[in-house]
Amino acid sequence: MSLDPALILSILVGIFHASLFVLVRGTAGGRLLVIALAAILGAWAGDALGDRLGFSLLMIGDYHVVAASIVAWVGIGISSAVAILGPSVRKA
């Protein structure tokens, strides 16, 4: 069994950007797993999108780092917006 290098690099890029988001924001608000998963899936989709569009600004082998980073931040932004707009849990 072999794993695609894009998946492994997407996990690394996604975790890096999720960590950077938490560092800048100060807290994940209990949504760290959702933010990390959104960043990983966004990075993976960003690499595929960068490949399809021919966006090759900064690459590691066949991996499109800039496109993956941009879409990872889009995923983080969407997951944060959904968490803000969704129902809130109130403590009694």
Side-chain angles (χ1 to χ4, degrees):
M1 180 177 136
S2 66
L3 288 174
D4 186 29
L7 178 61
I8 296 169
L9 287 171
S10 295
I11 291 171
L12 292 174
V13 169
I15 294 297
F16 171 75
H17 287 294
S19 302
L20 187 63
F21 174 77
V22 172
L23 179 70
V24 169
R25 184 148 187 231
T27 182
R31 298 179 303 271
L32 182 60
L33 184 61
V34 174
I35 290 170
L37 187 62
I40 291 169
L41 291 176
W44 199 15
D47 174 52
L49 189 63
D51 187 35
R52 290 289 266 186
L53 295 176
F55 188 72
S56 58
L57 186 61
L58 176 65
M59 294 179 60
I60 298 177
D62 288 336
Y63 190 76
H64 302 82
V65 178
V66 174
S69 296
I70 291 170
V71 181
W73 278 102
V74 169
I76 291 171
I78 290 172
S79 67
S80 295
V82 168
I84 290 170
L85 297 175
S88 62
V89 178
R90 295 184 185 204
K91 294 181 181 179

